[in-house]
Amino acid sequence: LDFRADINAFPVAVANLVLPDLGLSGTVSGALALAGRRDDPRARAVLEAQNVTARELQRRGIEPLSLSAAGGFENGVADIDRLDANVAGGRLSVFGTAGEDASDLEVTRAALLLALAYAFAPELGLSGSLDGNAKVTGDFAAPMADFSVMTRLASAEPLRAAGVGTLNAQISGNVDGDTITLTTAEAFIGNGRVRATGTVGRRLDLTVAITDLPLALADVAAPELGIRGSLSGNAAVSGRATSPEANFNVDASSITTTATRNAGLPAGA
């Protein structure tokens, strides 16, 4: 192989010929070089994107995307020298190596706006931000990872219409092969709280506690039901994933739906 391609300020608006509703704009530049044998190729690539945005994001005043990436591939291993994306005041960064036998990747997200989803699903009306980081090592068959994710002031249009407060959540833990360990998994929404700790994998050892969780969360999936009220309880799950054992108790209070309210029926326990 001996191939090279260069792109200079290519307009992403070309995609509007196929997906006109997106209203994409901005430019992409880069270079790709291939060498070696077909069964053992080597590659180097550079990619730069400037002022990339979509019509719905522009309408909502969300800043366009800029991206800078460089890396290569050799001996079955992808080497990411840099992958930095800046969008709407937030940042995504990835660097390291990834291969079938061994990986060493670091991923960092800082203040990424959930409103970016307006480009693809404006009906959700998402707001809030996402932060987090992850470090992945090991091979594809048995990866190991440490991770931490946090959402701040997250919401969606159906929840705002139902008067549900914003979501603040933090999840951290690690992955070792096929087992996920949650050291912290806690979410606050409205006056409610959900907390989970333990492990999930071939064997389970997980506890979940729920306090005053607003049932109006169901409006995201089924707004026509108009469920109101709150849910509290706890659960413990253990044993093998193929035959788990669980103990739980649940209390629901002041439950109503659009149908029961229209019929003048009192709230359920």
Side-chain angles (χ1 to χ4, degrees):
L1 299 173
D2 186 7
F3 174 82
R4 181 178 176 87
D6 293 281
I7 302 173
N8 184 26
F10 185 80
V12 298
V14 168
N16 295 331
L17 296 174
V18 180
L19 299 169
D21 291 343
L22 289 181
L24 294 176
S25 61
T27 61
V28 174
S29 301
L32 172 65
L34 295 175
R37 302 189 311 270
R38 262 194 270 185
D39 61 347
D40 185 22
R42 301 190 306 275
R44 293 295 301 173
V46 176
L47 179 67
E48 304 284 339
Q50 296 293 330
N51 298 317
V52 176
T53 189
R55 183 182 298 113
E56 190 65 27
L57 299 181
Q58 285 181 307
R59 191 172 74 82
R60 297 184 178 275
I62 296 174
E63 297 175 16
L65 163 76
S66 64
L67 180 144
S68 177
F73 181 85
E74 187 171 1
N75 297 323
V77 177
D79 186 359
I80 303 173
D81 299 332
R82 70 174 186 278
L83 194 165
D84 292 313
N86 293 278
V87 59
R91 182 171 181 258
L92 172 67
S93 177
V94 182
F95 68 90
T97 59
E100 185 174 351
D101 297 326
S103 298
D104 188 358
L105 277 176
E106 293 197 22
V107 181
T108 303
R109 300 175 300 280
L112 288 182
L113 296 184
L114 299 179
L116 292 172
Y118 273 110
F120 309 100
E123 68 280 0
L124 291 179
L126 291 178
S127 62
S129 64
L130 178 69
D131 295 83
N133 56 74
K135 182 174 178 60
V136 182
T137 59
D139 57 44
F140 282 170
M144 294 181 289
D146 294 303
F147 63 89
S148 177
V149 179
M150 182 180 297
T151 62
R152 293 186 175 92
L153 302 176
S155 187
E157 183 57 39
L159 299 182
R160 291 189 290 272
V164 177
T166 56
L167 167 70
N168 295 280
Q170 181 174 0
I171 302 173
S172 62
N174 61 75
V175 179
D176 188 351
D178 58 4
T179 300
I180 300 173
T181 299
L182 298 176
T183 53
T184 302
E186 195 166 33
F188 296 88
I189 183 164
N191 295 321
R193 176 190 180 198
V194 179
R195 186 172 188 272
T197 58
T199 59
V200 178
R202 292 183 181 179
R203 296 198 64 84
L204 306 172
D205 184 10
L206 187 67
T207 60
V208 180
I210 301 172
T211 305
D212 295 328
L213 186 70
L215 294 177
L217 287 170
D219 280 8
V220 173
E224 68 280 0
L225 294 179
I227 299 177
R228 298 295 180 267
S230 63
L231 187 72
S232 298
N234 56 71
V237 184
S238 60
R240 296 192 302 272
T242 54
S243 56
E245 299 176 1
N247 294 296
F248 62 89
N249 65 74
V250 176
D251 294 312
S253 61
S254 303
I255 299 176
T256 67
T257 66
T258 299
T260 61
R261 290 191 295 273
N262 290 342
L265 298 176

